[in-house]
């Protein structure tokens, strides 16, 4: 909590660390590279160690003097290399496959150890009789962030001392200079013109920074911050080691950095004592230990700290802290202990230690994506014994939550704020899923998560994409003055500090880490402890959810609300009525809105130019009228929106609120009104598909999804049961009641016909019946009219009795069931033998506009807008998601029947004993999305996507299908997969496993995109 994190990523190449830095990949200390490049670059551009030594005589004269690099690529014991030794020295004179005269059997042996909060590599060099151990960890619980490296060099010779000089550190370190990730990759050479190295203390405290931020703008930003590198030899901590930052001194003319040519002609001592130059080039950061003698069986340890300081004057302060005796060893033990504390909730003791460790790793990874809840505001014994629902002073704050970007998920821009109480924004779906079990692990957080996410429901039925940390506000000036006085003191001499702190507390919103930063930057001296201050202000503050909308609305996000509610009710079933009916929550307000069909149905040519088709393009946009509305709530001093800007207001400028049950009813109404023209799936009309985001093209194909339909049925049944259970009315905005009335009128007009496809001729089964099309068009128009009235709500409401609610939902569920039945009849044709005969639910449909009417308007590309006048249905192969969501609505008997059918379908990878995300997609249109761009068996194209597979296994467990569950567990779940085939540590779950559909048989069964996936949430629910 009270530490400032850095981020780091590792690979099993070179010395392991592929990149690290602060906040995001835009602020690297070691440049961020995607995995494919990191595998190649890490051995050269990452951490390197060079030994210059001898066993007898003096350097350069003894027969046993040497320059050697541990962990170098040239001496790696690749299995292919080792097996080639039988081919070496062949009589035909062909060259050795090793490329050297040295037998590969004499190459060093190397081992990598991956801990929960550390990573270690070890090399034993039998030729030079040196063992090298390197341990990495991030520095915990300090007011400065650092990445720590401990290199231990041991002399394993039993008789002779080792005379050694060492260079140990980064071959290439990046300076501070603003957001650099893109610039390093596009204008890296030009960028070096800004680079330089300052020194805080005679070569032992280099400070790597640019002179200014590299931008051609009128406003020039002088760079004050920089990266530091501080190193010492343990047991001699008070004497900092000199840092070699001039790359040319180490590598000489070898600008590829392959060989340390500089060490072949001179000594480490000469380099350290000579001139170094750091201007206009990328620097190194090697700690230099010269002329050390290591006796047989003895060792030395070089410890180096890399981090960022906001000013060069901060570096000596940091140095004084880290050179305290035993500091590094203690911090390493604390780093280990912190993880044990975090994972203590899931301590597991079975007969399988690997499984026990896997549980802890999955919990840790789940926490890194969803966050770890901590309670603030515990100011007395009473508050320490109650839950959030029982004591309003207690506030929940999540730590570490962030979007899951890494070397393989290079498409995600993670943010880890370098502050106390660090957190970063995360995607709605990810955070909602990974917090599902919070209340089970931490019962005192009560209904916090459920209310947080229900608050994000907008009046249009959608929600923002990016979930950020909650913010705190205190509106009462007297309260701010009192808290400031308690923290700073009441004496007259403390007046300036009191006023400064009171202004910080009352002037807008803040987060705990930001509060600590502002206190530090404004040099506000507090007499109480910082934790005590934060608890006191949190107890007095109001807390508000925060989120940001982006380029569209995902169709599945709303389906995770019931998971959060059900988890809460598992712990607090007695609080259901109070939660549903006695609380009021606002509606989130976004400037992004969904366009009406007449402004997004576009007529254009097909990809090959042979025909015209209608696609749904640019379905959402930023509404300037809403922006203008939000501008009324700008904070003039900061330029940021006030909290009120993010909530829906009435015409009277009051925030509109509803009970959770009313918000769920609104959600169900809108989703019911968004069913496709055949009444089967929920339309992907907001610009984004559902869970399977690789079906991005399905939006353009006017697609819909059955997974959301099954979730709608679950939601409708829940509201229905609650209405009859508690017999209390539901009050909704008047605008929604008008929409409900129009839906009911449209259903009356539709009548009682079932419109089942089998009632049609085979040649017309794909055509939407005219009556269903007319119903769809009427309801869709009503939905669009409803949205057009949402800039402000009237503030008027409509009350529905519990009986009225139950009758409405009975009718709607009947229609949903009809749609599900139609979908089962139309089905999924598949491409695997018999798929269409198994009765497995389809997952997706598309709708082809076969007749249209021009609106007279065109989009920005000049393509005409049209209104649909007739549809035909498009079908797709089987996907596992539809099965998983459907099983949630079934009893054990029917779920067993579906399970047996799925085992016979193309979703089963019999050779791996797992289930693929889809059956074969061969022959499908590329229009459906990027998954068609991938090779079969790779990424979302027919691979084993562990998150969805784990969802499937979880449903087996929930249905009481225990024998089937444990059978599947043996072949389809970690850590029971064969490790050599999996290709990663069995503790770490991957996002996908290459299936047997993949063309390269050597990669089948391997895991990719490790850790931080939704599979952790499913696994913990199973646990």
């Amino acid at each position: 909590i009270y530490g400032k994190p850095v981020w780091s990523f590792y690979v099993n190449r070179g010395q392991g660390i592929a990149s690290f830095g602060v906040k995001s990949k835009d602020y690297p200390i070691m440049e961020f590279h995607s995995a494919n490049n990191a595998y190649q670059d890490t051995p050269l551009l990452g951490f390197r160690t060079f030994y210059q030594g001898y066993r007898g005589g003096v350097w350069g004269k003894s027969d046993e003097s040497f320059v050697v690099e541990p962990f170098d690529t040239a001496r790696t014991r690749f299995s292919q290399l080792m097996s080639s030794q039988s081919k070496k020295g062949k009589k035909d004179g062909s060259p050795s496959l090793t490329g050297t005269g040295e037998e590969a059997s004499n190459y060093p042996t190397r081992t990598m150890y991956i801990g929960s909060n550390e990573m270690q590599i070890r090399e034993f060099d039998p030729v030079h009789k040196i063992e090298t151990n390197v341990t990495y960890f991030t520095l915990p619980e300090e007011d400065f962030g650092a990445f720590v490296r401990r290199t231990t060099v041991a002399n394993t010779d039993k008789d002779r001392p080792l005379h050694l000089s060492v260079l140990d550190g980064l071959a290439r370190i990046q300076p501070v200079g603003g957001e650099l990730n893109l610039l390093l990759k596009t204008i890296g050479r030009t960028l070096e013109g800004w680079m330089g190295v300052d020194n805080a203390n005679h070569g032992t405290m280099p400070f790597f920074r640019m002179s200014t931020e590299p931008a051609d703008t009128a406003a020039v930003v002088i760079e004050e911050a920089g990266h530091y590198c501080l190193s010492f030899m343990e047991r001699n901590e008070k004497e900092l080691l000199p840092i070699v930052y001039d790359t040319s001194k180490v590598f000489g003319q070898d600008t590829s950095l392959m060989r340390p040519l500089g060490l072949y002609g001179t000594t480490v001592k000469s380099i350290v004592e000579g001139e170094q130059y750091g201007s206009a080039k990328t620097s190194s950061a090697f700690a230099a230990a010269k002329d050390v003698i290591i006796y047989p069986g003895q060792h030395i340890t070089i410890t180096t700290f890399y981090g960022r300081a906001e000013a060069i004057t901060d570096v000596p302060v940091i140095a004084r802290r880290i050179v305290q005796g035993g500091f590094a060893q203690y911090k390493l033990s604390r780093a280990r202990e912190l993880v044990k504390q975090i994972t203590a909730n899931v301590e597991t003791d079975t007969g399988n230690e690997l499984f026990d460790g896997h549980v802890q790793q999955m919990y840790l990874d789940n926490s890194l994506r969803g966050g770890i809840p901590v309670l603030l505001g515990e100011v007395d014994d009473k508050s320490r014994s109650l839950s959030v629902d029982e004591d309003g002073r207690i506030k929940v704050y999540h730590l570490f939550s962030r979007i899951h970007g890494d070397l393989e998920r290079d498409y995600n821009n993670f943010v880890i704020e370098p502050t106390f109480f660090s957190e970063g924004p995360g995607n709605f779906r990810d955070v909602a899923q990974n917090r599902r079990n919070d209340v089970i692990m931490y019962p005192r957080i009560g209904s916090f998560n459920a209310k947080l996410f229900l608050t994000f429901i907008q009046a249009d039925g959608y929600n923002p994409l990016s979930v950020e940390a909650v913010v705190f506000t205190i509106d009462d000036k007297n309260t701010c003055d009192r808290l400031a006085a308690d923290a700073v003191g009441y004496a007259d001499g403390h007046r300036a500090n009191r006023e400064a702190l009171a202004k910080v507390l009352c002037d807008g919103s803040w987060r705990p880490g930001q509060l600590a930063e502002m206190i530090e930057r404004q040099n506000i001296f507090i007499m109480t402890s910082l934790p005590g201050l934060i608890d006191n202000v949190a107890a007095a503050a109001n807390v508000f959810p925060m989120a940001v909308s982006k380029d569209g609305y995902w169709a599945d996000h709303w389906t995770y609300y019931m998971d959060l509610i059900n988890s809460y009710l598992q712990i607090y079933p007695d609080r259901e009525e109070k939660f549903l009916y006695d609380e009021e929550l606002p509606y989130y307000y976004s400037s992004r809105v969904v366009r009406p069909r007449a402004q997004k149905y576009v007529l254009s040519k097909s990809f090959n130019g042979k025909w015209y088709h209608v696609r749904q393009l640019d379905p959402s946009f930023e509404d300037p009228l809403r922006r203008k509305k939000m501008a009324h709530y700008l904070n003039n001093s900061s330029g940021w929106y006030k909290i009120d800007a993010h909530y829906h207001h009435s015409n009277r400028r009051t925030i509109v609120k509803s009970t959770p049950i009313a918000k769920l009813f609104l959600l169900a109404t809108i989703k019911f009104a968004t069913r496709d023209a055949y009444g089967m799936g929920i339309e992907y009309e907001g610009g984004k598909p559902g869970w399977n985001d690789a079906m991005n093209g399905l939006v353009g194909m006017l697609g819909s999804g059955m997974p959301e339909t099954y979730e709608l049925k679950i939601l409708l049944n829940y509201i229905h049961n609650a209405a009859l259970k508690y017999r209390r009315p539901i009050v909704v905005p008047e605008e929604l009641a008008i929409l409900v009335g129009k839906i009911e009128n449209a259903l009356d007009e539709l009548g009682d016909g079932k419109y089942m496809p089998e009632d049609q001729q085979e040649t017309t089964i794909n055509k939407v019946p005219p009556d269903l099309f007319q119903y769809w068009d009427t309801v869709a128009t009503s939905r669009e009219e409803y949205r057009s009235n949402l800039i402000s709500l009237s503030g008027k409401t409509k009350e529905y009795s519990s009986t009225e609610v139950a009758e409405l939902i009975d009718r709607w569920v009947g229609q949903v069931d009809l749609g599900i039945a139609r979908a089962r009849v139309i089905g999924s044709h598949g491409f695997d033998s018999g798929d269409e005969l198994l009765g497995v639910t389809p997952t997706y449909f598309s709708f082809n506009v076969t007749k249209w009417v021009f609106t007279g308007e065109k989009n920005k590309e000049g393509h005409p807008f049209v209104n649909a006048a007739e549809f035909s249905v498009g079908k797709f192969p089987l996907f596992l998601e539809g099965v998983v969501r459907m099983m949630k609505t079934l009893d054990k008997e029917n779920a067993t029947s579906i399970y047996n059918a799925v085992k016979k379908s193309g979703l089963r990878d019999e050779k791996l004993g797992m289930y693929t995300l889809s059956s074969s997609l061969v022959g499908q249109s590329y229009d459906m999305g990027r998954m068609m761009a991938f090779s079969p068996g790779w990424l979302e194209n027919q691979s084993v996507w562990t998150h969805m597979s784990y969802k499937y296994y979880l449903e087996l467990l929930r249905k009481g299908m225990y024998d089937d569950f444990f059978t599947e567990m043996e072949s389809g779940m970690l850590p029971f997969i064969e490790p050599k085939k999996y290709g990663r540590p069995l503790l770490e779950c991957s996002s996908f496993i290459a299936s047997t559909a993949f063309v390269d048989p050597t990669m089948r069964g391997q895991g990719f995109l490790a850790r931080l996936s939704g599979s952790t949430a499913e696994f913990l629910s199973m646990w």
Side-chain angles (χ1 to χ4, degrees):
I1 297 176
Y2 292 97
K4 297 183 178 180
V6 299
W7 54 264
S8 62
F9 297 108
Y10 61 84
V11 296
N12 60 345
R13 306 289 194 278
Q15 295 202 29
I17 298 301
S19 61
F20 67 98
V22 299
K23 190 175 182 178
S24 72
K25 65 178 77 171
D26 281 323
Y27 301 93
I29 298 175
M30 177 183 172
E31 184 181 354
F32 179 92
H33 290 286
S34 298
N36 57 320
N37 291 323
Y39 299 145
Q40 299 170 8
D41 294 341
T42 299
L44 293 180
L45 306 182
F47 284 103
R48 308 276 291 274
T49 306
F50 300 105
Y51 298 146
Q52 191 181 67
Y54 59 91
R55 289 287 179 180
V58 296
W59 159 249
K61 295 182 180 180
S62 169
D63 291 337
E64 294 191 56
S65 63
F66 57 85
V67 173
V68 67
E69 178 184 0
F71 307 105
D72 63 315
T73 302
R75 296 182 299 152
T76 301
R77 296 168 67 96
F78 291 111
S79 58
Q80 291 173 309
L81 188 63
M82 302 307 293
S83 63
S84 72
Q85 288 307 294
S86 60
K87 304 176 183 179
K88 190 178 175 183
K90 294 185 292 184
K91 292 182 180 180
D92 63 5
S94 56
S96 164
L97 294 179
T98 65
T100 75
E102 182 181 12
E103 293 287 341
S105 58
N106 287 328
Y107 280 6
T109 56
R110 296 166 180 169
T111 309
M112 171 183 268
Y113 303 94
I114 300 170
S116 297
N117 202 16
E118 65 187 286
M119 194 265 281
Q120 181 182 354
I121 53 176
R122 183 180 68 186
E123 175 188 286
F124 172 66
D125 184 343
V127 174
H128 299 96
K129 292 184 171 54
I130 300 174
E131 181 175 304
T132 307
N133 281 274
V134 181
T135 300
Y136 302 98
F137 64 97
T138 56
L139 182 69
E141 301 175 326
E142 290 292 332
D143 62 358
F144 59 93
F147 189 64
V148 187
R149 169 183 168 93
R150 298 179 72 227
T151 303
T152 299
V153 187
N155 180 7
T156 60
D157 193 298
K158 296 180 179 180
D159 303 311
R160 297 175 298 168
L162 175 63
H163 299 257
L164 206 62
S165 291
V166 182
L167 289 181
D168 182 72
L170 273 178
R172 205 160 76 168
I173 186 171
Q174 300 302 334
V176 172
E179 297 183 359
L180 293 183
N181 186 50
L182 181 61
L183 297 179
L184 287 169
K185 291 167 176 57
T186 55
I187 59 167
R189 181 68 183 98
T190 301
L191 210 61
E192 289 184 317
W194 278 265
M195 296 181 183
V197 182
D198 297 315
N199 263 288
N201 183 44
H202 307 298
T204 61
M205 299 182 186
F207 200 58
F208 303 92
R209 62 180 170 186
M210 294 182 173
S211 53
T212 66
E213 291 191 4
D216 287 333
T217 59
V220 177
V221 179
I222 304 297
E223 190 56 76
E224 299 289 346
H227 292 145
Y228 64 83
C229 173
L230 300 169
S231 186
F232 54 80
M233 197 175 298
E234 293 186 9
R235 295 198 292 268
N236 190 24
E237 289 91 345
K238 297 299 181 182
E239 183 177 340
L240 290 177
L241 294 174
I243 305 299
V244 176
Y245 55 83
D246 189 339
T247 307
S248 65
K249 301 299 181 183
V250 180
F251 297 98
Q253 295 177 346
D254 190 351
T255 54
S256 70
L257 310 189
M258 287 285 291
R259 293 167 296 175
L261 297 185
L263 296 182
Y264 295 159
T266 189
T267 63
V268 170
K269 180 179 179 181
S270 298
I271 293 175
V272 170
E273 293 176 351
E275 288 290 332
Q276 295 191 63
Y277 306 100
S279 297
K281 58 183 174 182
T282 304
S283 296
S284 298
F286 287 104
K290 55 185 185 295
D291 301 332
V292 177
I293 301 175
I294 307 176
Y295 291 97
Q298 300 297 306
H299 68 270
I300 62 168
T301 298
I302 299 171
T303 300
T304 310
F305 291 73
Y306 297 86
R308 173 185 169 120
E310 295 308 309
I312 194 169
T313 53
D314 293 338
V315 179
V317 179
I318 294 172
R320 286 194 293 270
R321 176 65 176 152
I322 68 172
V323 299
Q324 302 299 313
F327 179 83
Q329 297 95 316
Y330 170 71
K331 288 300 181 179
L332 175 57
S333 67
R334 280 299 298 150
R336 292 167 175 164
E337 186 60 32
L338 283 171
V339 171
K340 290 181 180 179
Q341 293 173 3
I342 291 170
T343 59
N345 278 341
V346 292
E347 185 175 352
T348 305
D349 187 9
T350 70
N352 188 321
E353 291 184 356
L354 192 60
F355 177 79
D356 300 343
H358 180 59
V359 173
Q360 291 185 305
Q361 185 67 50
M362 293 290 271
Y363 182 78
L364 179 64
D365 289 346
N366 188 80
S367 301
L368 290 176
R369 196 166 85 148
I372 299 173
V374 295
L375 297 180
L376 305 177
E378 295 180 313
V379 294
D380 54 31
D381 290 341
K382 179 181 178 182
S383 62
R384 296 184 187 97
S385 62
L386 299 176
S387 73
V388 169
D389 298 326
E390 297 166 318
D391 191 335
R393 297 173 297 172
I394 305 174
K395 308 300 190 300
V396 178
Y397 194 80
H398 281 79
L399 306 175
F400 313 130
S401 179
R402 65 176 180 88
I403 193 170
H404 56 309
D406 52 48
L407 304 180
E408 292 184 274
R409 300 180 183 91
D410 44 15
Y411 49 85
N412 273 340
N413 295 317
F414 61 89
V415 176
I416 306 172
E417 292 292 343
T419 64
F420 294 164
F421 291 87
S422 177
E423 46 64 44
N427 288 336
F428 183 98
R429 178 195 298 126
D430 303 340
V431 179
Q433 290 181 110
N434 287 76
R435 292 187 186 177
R436 179 197 308 160
N437 296 296
D438 276 6
V439 68
I440 297 172
M441 304 295 180
Y442 304 90
R444 290 182 61 207
I445 73 168
S447 61
F448 171 81
N449 278 329
K451 290 179 182 176
L452 174 85
F453 284 93
L454 288 175
T455 296
F456 291 138
I457 296 176
Q458 300 170 178
D460 63 0
Y462 288 107
N463 56 266
L465 170 63
S466 179
V467 176
E468 300 191 342
V470 297
V471 296
F472 297 78
T473 65
I474 302 175
D475 298 325
D476 181 61
K477 185 178 183 304
N478 292 331
T479 300
C480 293
D481 290 341
R482 174 182 59 79
L483 290 167
D486 289 344
V488 172
Y490 288 83
D492 290 341
H494 300 158
R495 179 178 177 180
N497 277 338
R498 279 199 307 272
E499 291 178 350
L501 181 55
K503 181 174 175 55
V504 167
L505 294 175
C506 265
D507 190 19
S509 59
W510 42 266
R511 298 183 174 107
Q514 293 171 336
L515 177 60
E517 286 281 297
M518 287 186 283
I519 290 172
E520 180 181 353
R521 290 183 181 181
Q522 297 186 32
N523 295 314
I524 300 173
F525 177 78
I526 59 175
M527 300 177 66
T528 60
S529 68
L530 183 59
L533 169 63
I534 288 177
D535 274 329
N536 286 332
V537 298
N542 297 311
V543 64
F544 295 94
M546 289 297 293
V548 176
S549 294
K550 293 190 178 177
D551 58 347
Y553 290 116
W554 295 90
D556 68 313
H557 281 183
W558 63 275
T559 66
Y560 307 108
Y561 294 126
M562 286 308 304
D563 288 342
L564 294 168
I565 292 171
N566 288 331
S567 292
Y568 171 64
L569 296 179
Q570 280 185 266
I571 304 301
Y572 298 106
D574 54 318
R575 297 182 184 177
E576 183 180 38
E577 182 180 4
K578 184 178 187 303
F579 167 74
L580 290 175
Y581 289 92
D582 296 340
E583 307 278 353
E584 284 198 331
L585 303 172
Y587 292 88
Y588 216 74
Y589 193 75
S590 171
S591 57
R592 179 162 288 276
V593 297
V594 177
R595 299 181 192 272
R597 291 162 296 162
Q599 296 175 18
K600 61 183 177 182
Y601 282 13
V602 178
L603 183 67
S604 62
K605 283 189 175 182
S606 62
F607 72 96
N608 57 11
K610 292 184 177 181
W611 63 83
Y612 283 93
H613 60 171
V614 175
R615 291 182 296 163
Q616 180 177 231
L617 302 178
D618 297 324
S620 69
F621 71 105
E622 287 290 321
D623 187 348
L625 294 177
R626 289 191 169 220
R627 281 288 185 194
K628 184 177 179 181
K629 197 82 175 175
M630 294 175 70
H632 293 154
Y633 304 98
L634 274 177
N635 184 319
N636 292 327
S637 62
S638 68
W640 293 88
Y641 286 120
K642 297 178 182 177
I643 297 297
D644 283 5
H646 301 286
Y647 296 115
H648 218 121
H649 287 71
S650 70
N651 294 332
R652 304 175 195 137
R653 300 190 72 173
T654 58
I655 294 177
V656 178
K657 295 183 178 182
S658 296
T659 60
I661 189 69
K663 294 198 76 173
L664 291 174
F665 180 75
L666 175 143
L667 191 65
T669 301
I670 294 172
K671 300 309 171 185
F672 180 76
T674 315
R675 293 179 304 136
D676 62 39
Y678 231 129
M680 300 181 296
I682 304 296
E683 290 183 311
Y684 294 158
E685 52 123 28
K688 300 292 183 181
W691 175 87
N692 187 353
D693 50 24
M695 292 287 286
N696 51 294
L698 193 55
V699 173
M701 299 173 76
L702 280 66
S704 65
M706 291 304 296
E708 291 75 26
T709 297
Y710 293 121
E711 295 290 347
L712 174 59
K713 182 175 180 179
I714 293 169
L715 177 60
L716 287 169
N717 285 332
Y718 179 76
I719 298 169
H720 179 274
N721 294 338
L724 295 182
K725 182 177 181 180
Y726 299 112
R727 295 291 179 178
R728 294 178 62 174
I730 294 177
V731 179
V732 301
E734 179 186 56
E735 291 82 355
L736 182 70
I738 294 171
L739 175 60
V740 170
K742 292 180 178 179
I743 293 171
E744 289 298 284
N745 291 338
L747 285 173
D748 291 340
E749 186 70 24
L750 180 64
D752 296 328
K754 294 184 178 180
Y755 301 97
M756 296 301 292
E758 64 260 35
D759 294 337
Q760 304 179 45
Q761 296 296 319
E762 191 67 28
T763 57
T764 62
I765 192 171
N766 290 342
K767 180 181 176 181
V768 175
D771 289 349
L772 283 180
F773 181 90
Q774 183 59 51
Y775 167 81
W776 167 83
D777 187 51
T778 300
V779 172
T781 300
S782 300
R783 186 181 72 242
E784 292 166 356
E785 291 170 348
Y786 166 75
R787 284 197 192 121
S788 69
N789 294 322
L790 293 182
I791 292 179
S792 291
L793 294 170
S794 68
K796 298 179 182 179
T797 59
K798 159 76 174 177
E799 180 177 294
Y800 291 97
S801 69
S802 59
T803 300
E804 289 174 317
V805 171
E807 290 174 351
L808 281 170
I809 290 179
D810 277 335
R811 190 179 195 186
W812 293 358
V813 169
Q815 290 295 318
V816 169
D817 284 340
L818 280 174
I820 291 172
R822 294 179 198 127
R824 295 285 294 277
V825 171
I826 292 176
S828 172
H829 58 78
F831 280 91
D832 294 281
S833 177
D835 270 5
E836 70 276 10
L837 305 176
L838 293 170
V840 177
T841 179
T843 299
Y844 305 115
F845 294 103
S846 64
F847 285 81
N848 183 37
V849 181
T850 52
K851 292 182 181 178
W852 58 82
V853 178
F854 291 99
T855 69
E857 302 291 332
K858 295 183 178 181
N859 70 359
K860 59 186 178 182
E861 282 83 27
H863 299 303
F865 288 120
V866 300
N867 284 320
E870 183 181 84
F871 281 139
S872 64
V873 182
K875 301 172 289 186
F876 296 92
L878 295 182
F879 284 79
L880 188 59
E881 185 188 3
V883 175
V884 169
R885 306 274 191 165
M886 182 186 189
M887 287 184 73
K888 295 172 72 172
T889 69
L890 302 178
D891 57 23
K892 180 179 179 180
E893 181 180 354
N894 287 309
T896 301
S897 176
I898 292 297
Y899 167 72
N900 291 329
V902 170
K903 286 186 72 172
K904 300 174 184 176
S905 76
L907 294 172
R908 175 74 174 180
D909 189 325
E910 201 62 49
K911 291 183 179 179
L912 292 181
M914 301 177 184
Y915 295 88
T916 54
L917 184 60
S918 69
S919 58
S920 175
L921 301 180
V922 173
Q924 293 297 302
S925 169
Y926 278 81
D927 284 345
M928 67 192 288
R930 68 174 184 270
M931 63 193 311
M932 286 302 298
F934 306 139
S935 297
W938 189 260
L939 286 169
E940 288 94 340
N941 188 340
Q942 205 185 349
S943 75
V944 177
W945 206 266
T946 54
H947 186 185
M948 191 51 64
S949 295
Y950 279 28
K951 278 181 176 288
Y952 185 52
Y953 301 147
L954 176 59
E955 290 310 312
L956 299 181
L957 197 57
R958 284 174 169 168
K959 298 305 175 187
M961 300 164 60
Y962 303 125
D963 290 341
D964 296 320
F965 170 79
F966 285 109
T967 298
E968 298 293 351
M969 188 177 181
E970 290 176 359
S971 62
M973 286 178 60
L974 290 171
F976 305 107
I977 299 172
E978 205 283 311
K980 288 186 178 179
K981 180 183 292 185
Y982 184 58
R984 289 185 183 271
L986 290 178
L987 297 183
E988 299 177 358
C989 195
S990 296
S991 281
F992 80 93
I993 295 171
S995 72
T996 54
F998 192 62
V999 63
D1000 185 349
T1002 66
M1003 296 180 69
R1004 295 170 187 167
Q1006 286 189 34
F1008 298 90
L1009 281 65
R1011 305 178 58 180
L1012 304 198
S1013 77
S1015 57
T1016 60
E1018 314 307 330
F1019 180 86
L1020 290 174
S1021 291
M1022 288 185 271
W1023 177 83

